[in-house]
Amino acid sequence: MPFRRLRRRLRGTAAWLLVAVVAGGIAYTVTKNSTGPHGGSGPIGSSDPAGAARRADPGRTPGGWQDWNRWLRGAADFVNPVVDGLWGPERMAGATEGERSFDGSEMPRGVSDPEPDAVDARPVARPYGETAPTAGRLFFDTPKGPAACSGTVVRDAAHPGRSNLVWTAGHCVHSGKDGGWLRNIVFVPGFDKSAAGGRGSAAPLGIWWADWAQTSQQWIDHGTSNAGAGAAFDFAVLHVRQAAGATRSLEETVGAAADVGFDAELSGSRGPIDIVGYPAGRPFDGSALFHCADRPGSFSVAADQPDMYRMGCTMTEGSSGGGWLVRRGDGALVLVSNTSLGSRPAAWLAGPHLGADARRVLTDVSRRFAGS
């Protein structure tokens, strides 16, 4: 049953891309590198002092953040050299509010279902490895410093039971039409800051570096930091790996992976969707996993873009990229969208409809590593 479309214009809706900036400095040393303008020309494991200097001060050297509008924009340009020891506990700690907001009245709009009632975000029960094994937190560097999003381990048709794929939002890996690929992207499955305060680690299952990322061409060409054009195509897939010599896949390590459901119809009599993520804007701090359950409606940010889904949920910045999940009749977990936008004050979240373009992104990344 397709979504009901009510002819109701959005009025003064304030929303943001749900990225959270992480507290901490940006000084570090490169001990491993890979090819590309990041610095270095050798394979992973090679040394490159010049590359280290560039990366230690990316704002003042050629190819640094001052060249953001020209730096590594294209779909084939992604490069993410491993930086040993970069994402330690101090650098991961302390997420603050993001700054990417927009006034919906400034944009061309279509029609949406009525705004949903707010649904309070609730903490996911620990241990996360049992209650939400596919969830994790993304960390990466932006021109304004370290930042955080959320992600979901998804199945890989080329590697049944051994997937190394993570689903997230496009703006968590690429800044859209006004920027390029983000840097130092890692996925931390089961992230739990509270564990670091005791005997455990905030990264109980390791830190997984992205060795490839792909988002939609629509996001690269039209995505904006003010959550406008391109939002309906705000999705991405990462391929990740641990340190050299690791033999277990991400899926084997966490014990699960979600299927991806394309062209899902989420209205009508279907059960609620569960949104999972790491909100970091107030009153949250990014230290723990939360979720919301609701039934989605249709949401439009622009008349010339596909409708998105929208659900009541009070999660804030940092929850971007988090999975919208359902259970099939056979018990399998299925990802049907990812968090992209949220209202201010926090009352609802919106995510893209995953159609042919999203399927193509997943298929391309899977095929790229099919022989590995």
Side-chain angles (χ1 to χ4, degrees):
M1 174 178 174
F3 278 124
R4 222 168 16 97
R5 296 180 57 87
L6 301 182
R7 304 196 65 80
R8 173 183 173 275
R9 292 192 177 274
L10 304 177
R11 296 179 181 177
T13 302
W16 61 86
L17 291 176
L18 300 175
V19 175
V21 177
V22 178
I26 60 171
Y28 48 86
T29 300
V30 174
T31 58
K32 294 186 179 179
N33 215 316
S34 65
T35 59
H38 277 291
S41 57
I44 286 188
S46 66
S47 176
D48 178 20
R54 283 193 292 273
R55 294 173 61 74
D57 189 6
R60 298 182 182 178
T61 54
W65 295 120
Q66 80 278 9
D67 299 318
W68 184 232
N69 63 341
R70 301 186 299 277
W71 183 81
L72 292 182
R73 280 195 40 77
D77 292 339
F78 180 80
V79 61
N80 194 49
V82 175
V83 183
D84 283 347
L86 173 61
W87 292 110
E90 292 184 4
R91 203 161 192 265
M92 289 183 183
T96 61
E97 287 193 17
E99 300 176 351
R100 299 180 175 186
S101 63
F102 84 108
D103 182 346
S105 63
E106 297 176 356
M107 302 173 54
R109 298 177 300 278
V111 293
S112 301
D113 284 342
E115 185 171 320
D117 294 333
V119 173
D120 289 338
R122 298 183 179 279
V124 172
R126 293 179 171 91
Y128 299 154
E130 296 179 7
T131 57
T134 63
R137 200 171 187 204
L138 236 66
F139 293 94
F140 47 92
D141 280 319
T142 78
K144 295 184 179 180
C149 276
S150 303
T152 304
V153 183
V154 295
R155 295 189 191 279
D156 181 359
H159 296 282
R162 290 181 52 83
S163 175
N164 285 307
L165 303 185
V166 175
W167 194 283
T168 189
H171 72 262
C172 297
V173 299
H174 193 289
S175 286
K177 70 176 185 178
D178 296 323
W181 291 104
L182 300 170
R183 300 179 175 183
N184 302 321
I185 302 171
V186 299
F187 179 66
V188 182
F191 176 87
D192 187 357
K193 184 181 175 183
S194 68
R199 297 185 301 273
S201 165
L205 300 176
I207 298 173
W208 297 70
W209 280 79
D211 54 7
W212 190 253
Q214 188 165 332
T215 185
S216 67
Q217 192 61 45
Q218 294 94 329
W219 177 258
I220 291 174
D221 292 343
H222 306 293
T224 61
S225 60
N226 63 7
F233 301 95
D234 186 15
F235 45 77
V237 176
L238 306 176
H239 184 276
V240 300
R241 62 175 172 174
Q242 271 193 305
T247 58
R248 301 187 75 198
S249 67
L250 177 61
E251 182 177 357
E252 290 171 308
T253 300
V254 304
D259 287 323
V260 180
F262 299 101
D263 296 315
E265 295 294 349
L266 304 182
S267 61
S269 60
R270 290 181 179 272
I273 311 300
D274 202 34
I275 301 179
V276 180
Y278 287 87
R282 296 178 182 177
F284 308 97
D285 63 4
S287 65
L289 191 62
F290 282 79
H291 74 112
C292 295
D294 195 13
R295 288 179 171 82
S298 179
F299 178 66
S300 175
V301 293
D304 60 350
Q305 291 190 53
D307 284 354
M308 302 174 70
Y309 305 128
R310 180 168 62 171
M311 284 175 40
C313 185
T314 60
M315 281 199 278
T316 57
E317 299 94 330
S319 61
S320 256
W324 293 36
L325 303 166
V326 298
R327 288 278 183 188
R328 283 200 312 245
D330 62 2
L333 195 64
V334 182
L335 181 144
V336 293
S337 187
N338 59 263
T339 298
S340 174
L341 307 178
S343 64
R344 180 174 288 148
W348 53 259
L349 300 176
H353 174 90
L354 304 182
D357 295 290
R359 186 190 296 272
R360 187 176 304 113
V361 168
L362 178 63
T363 300
D364 286 351
V365 179
S366 174
R367 287 176 176 171
R368 184 179 183 90
F369 293 90
S372 61

